[in-house]
Amino acid sequence: MEARSAVAATQVAALKNAIARRHRADVNRAAFALIRARAPLGSQWRALVQLLEQNGELTASLAAADLLVEQTGGSDAARFEKASVLARSGRLDEAAGLLESLDPGRPTPLQHAYLRGTVETNRGRFDTAREQLNRAVEIAPASGQAWLALAMIARRETCAELKERLRAAASVAAQAAPLDRAAYHSACGAVHDLEGDAQTAREHFGRCADIMARQLPYDRSTDVRGAQEAVRGYSTDRFARAGAAPQVPGADRPIFVTGLPRSGTTLVEQILVSHSAVAAGEELGLFPILRRDLGAASAASLDALYSRGGSARAIAGLYLHLASERLGSSGRFVDKTLSASRYLGVLAEALPAAPIIWLRRDPLDCAWSCYRTFFVAGLSWSWNPLTIAEHFKLEDQLFAQWQDLLGERMLQVEYQQLVSDPATVIPAILEHCGLEFEPAVLEPHKTSRRVTTASVAQVRQPIHQRAIGIAQPYREQLQPFLDAYQAD
């Protein structure tokens, strides 16, 4: 025990030093050493669980969670922490099994019911999810997040009952914290929209947006700088040189799917994952981890890394390692991460064999869908029609610039064409990715897999055209968006 304690003291000191320097690799090395030594950290393992998860090291994070469970006597609180990590890591079946073994009254009934409900939602088991989420709102009627989770999987035939329950909780929800209050109004808007009551839905979505716009103000200058940085210094010649260089093993595994949120990216992900050669797909969110090492996404930041002894191969290796932590080490996979447009230069240079698909959707439909969606990531531009227009225009500019720089490597897919003529568009997507046609891709709703985005319910349905023109009942509310978006 003394030897283990001595190792722990040394590595904890190294860990604190690495955290202070914000050096991801050194943080990982110190944390890995603590895990190997099975350091007697007790409940302090919880901090390492979270730190390693933030660094994308899911295997090590779960190993730390196991030590947390072991060294706290198998407490329900520690096992709940592990279940939470399993859920966030996409290991939903394991998370569900562990949650079922816990006392539902601990660590708190609300946390337990809400996590079980979201896990079952992501597994596509909506009936079980409703049971748990109903329990969550019974325990805490002010939990806007639980109401919103229920609304996301609501059915038209039962939404009248849910609407009445939401109305009964209005006075309690009005006293909730801002984020829960906003989520409650988003849930009300979703249910009224499902019923076809556009006027009431519009009122609730507007209340949600007003709250969130105050909580997460949009900084246009930062958005503009990010868009400019994304393409700065890149050229077709530079990408051609990267393509001619030796590639790391597995460099042809990723398929990048991007576009604005709510533009059909999850549908394309579902289509591709329905192919036998594509093992998995998800909104991975790995780019911020890469950016921590780079400092920025411009070509100059890559050159600075190379001058310090780094390489494009090392970036590719790190990306593939982190992706494998989430999706496994075999088969091709889809990475459908938000804001990929801001990192395409880095990805195109580091992984030149990876195809890129960019979804485009009618701007008004996409704007309304973004405005009404309560994004977990908290996209600050999405809460006001004017700031939505600002962001959309920046993304349009990026699309045109990346199209010029990447040429045929980037395939443009129009959402309207995809859902109107899937028999034509889907084979073109497969060809772009180097995949042979398989009939299963035409019925992607039959593919069972985890889905963790706002499209969790939609992708379980056959491909349809019902979302075309979805913004028309709200056109008056969106007129400021149209005026700003169409202005020079």
Side-chain angles (χ1 to χ4, degrees):
M1 177 64 76
E2 290 182 7
R4 287 171 61 195
S5 297
V7 170
T10 300
Q11 294 302 330
V12 166
L15 178 64
K16 289 179 178 179
N17 180 269
I19 291 172
R21 292 184 289 111
R22 298 183 180 180
H23 195 287
R24 179 194 54 80
D26 285 352
V27 167
N28 289 344
R29 274 190 284 271
F32 295 166
L34 287 166
I35 292 171
R36 286 194 300 272
R38 304 177 65 82
L41 300 180
S43 61
Q44 295 179 60
W45 278 112
R46 183 174 285 106
L48 269 76
V49 169
Q50 297 168 356
L51 183 63
L52 288 164
E53 185 182 2
Q54 290 168 7
N55 284 353
E57 299 292 344
L58 302 182
T59 301
S61 178
L62 286 167
D66 285 335
L67 288 165
L68 172 67
V69 171
E70 176 187 310
Q71 294 184 14
T72 57
S75 70
D76 272 8
R79 293 195 294 150
F80 183 84
E81 180 76 23
K82 180 180 177 180
S84 300
V85 177
L86 285 167
R88 292 191 296 269
S89 301
R91 295 167 65 168
L92 300 178
D93 292 345
E94 293 175 68
L98 183 51
L99 286 168
E100 288 174 8
S101 74
L102 300 180
D103 180 346
R106 292 184 292 178
T108 73
L110 173 61
Q111 288 177 319
H112 188 276
Y114 179 72
L115 183 58
R116 285 196 67 185
T118 54
V119 165
E120 296 302 337
T121 295
N122 295 336
R123 295 170 86 197
R125 302 185 180 189
F126 296 144
D127 288 341
T128 306
R130 288 186 191 94
E131 291 176 10
Q132 294 299 322
L133 293 170
N134 279 325
R135 181 168 175 267
V137 296
E138 288 170 5
I139 295 166
S143 175
Q145 293 286 355
W147 283 117
L148 181 57
L150 266 175
M152 285 177 60
I153 56 174
R155 297 170 297 190
R156 181 182 287 273
E157 60 269 24
T158 61
C159 66
E161 177 191 355
L162 180 55
K163 182 179 69 175
E164 290 305 313
R165 293 171 61 205
L166 282 162
R167 183 178 293 123
S171 59
V172 177
Q175 305 303 315
L179 293 184
D180 270 314
R181 197 163 69 250
Y184 167 82
H185 283 297
S186 184
C188 292
V191 171
H192 283 282
D193 181 67
L194 186 60
E195 266 201 326
D197 182 357
Q199 179 177 346
T200 308
R202 183 164 54 242
E203 292 171 2
H204 280 291
F205 285 132
R207 292 177 193 173
C208 171
D210 288 344
I211 295 169
M212 293 303 297
R214 290 193 296 272
Q215 296 295 308
L216 296 170
Y218 173 66
D219 185 343
R220 183 179 183 277
S221 61
T222 299
D223 202 4
V224 170
R225 283 197 302 272
Q228 293 171 340
E229 175 194 273
V231 294
R232 186 177 295 127
Y234 292 107
S235 66
T236 54
D237 288 344
R238 183 177 180 119
F239 289 141
R241 291 194 297 273
Q247 304 300 307
V248 298
D252 58 347
R253 292 186 65 205
I255 301 169
F256 294 113
V257 176
T258 189
L260 284 163
R262 312 299 294 156
S263 62
T265 52
T266 302
L267 174 58
V268 171
E269 176 193 351
Q270 182 80 2
I271 288 166
L272 288 168
V273 172
S274 300
H275 195 283
S276 62
V278 182
E282 205 159 312
E283 203 167 277
L284 292 178
L286 301 179
F287 305 153
I289 298 175
L290 300 180
R291 182 174 180 142
R292 271 186 258 160
D293 284 7
L294 292 170
S298 65
S301 66
L302 285 176
D303 291 337
L305 179 71
Y306 301 158
S307 71
R308 300 193 299 270
S311 66
R313 285 176 60 88
I315 296 170
L318 173 60
Y319 171 84
L320 292 169
H321 162 69
L322 296 174
S324 296
E325 285 282 285
R326 180 84 181 189
L327 301 177
S329 57
S330 62
R332 300 189 68 184
F333 63 86
V334 181
D335 185 342
K336 187 203 72 72
T337 301
L338 291 174
S339 302
S341 61
R342 309 302 175 101
Y343 299 91
L344 279 185
V346 174
L347 298 173
E349 183 158 328
L351 294 157
I356 299 164
I357 300 167
W358 192 306
L359 269 291
R360 304 275 284 174
R361 186 182 179 187
D362 173 78
L364 191 65
D365 284 348
C366 195
W368 170 248
S369 191
C370 287
Y371 180 78
R372 60 156 289 167
T373 299
F374 197 93
F375 290 107
V376 175
L379 304 182
S380 62
W381 53 263
S382 67
W383 304 112
N384 184 298
L386 295 176
T387 57
I388 292 173
E390 294 280 1
H391 185 76
F392 276 26
K393 290 167 78 170
L394 288 174
E395 290 298 298
D396 285 349
Q397 293 171 16
L398 282 171
F399 170 75
Q401 290 169 308
W402 286 127
Q403 197 171 42
D404 287 343
L405 288 168
L406 297 171
E408 294 182 355
R409 183 177 170 189
M410 188 174 85
L411 175 69
Q412 175 184 349
V413 174
E414 294 287 344
Y415 173 79
Q416 289 88 333
Q417 294 177 5
L418 171 62
V419 298
S420 300
D421 189 12
T424 299
V425 177
I426 290 176
I429 292 173
L430 298 180
E431 181 180 3
H432 181 71
C433 299
L435 298 168
E436 297 291 330
F437 177 77
E438 293 178 356
V441 299
L442 297 177
E443 297 182 302
H445 62 287
K446 295 183 177 180
T447 299
S448 177
R449 70 179 185 98
R450 63 178 182 256
V451 181
T452 58
T453 70
S455 301
V456 62
Q458 291 94 319
V459 297
R460 312 288 185 188
Q461 305 169 11
I463 295 174
H464 60 78
Q465 301 178 41
R466 293 191 297 276
I468 296 177
I470 196 172
Q472 289 308 312
Y474 305 95
R475 190 179 183 90
E476 181 180 348
Q477 184 177 5
L478 291 171
Q479 192 60 46
F481 162 80
L482 284 173
D483 293 343
Y485 182 71
Q486 294 170 353
D488 293 335

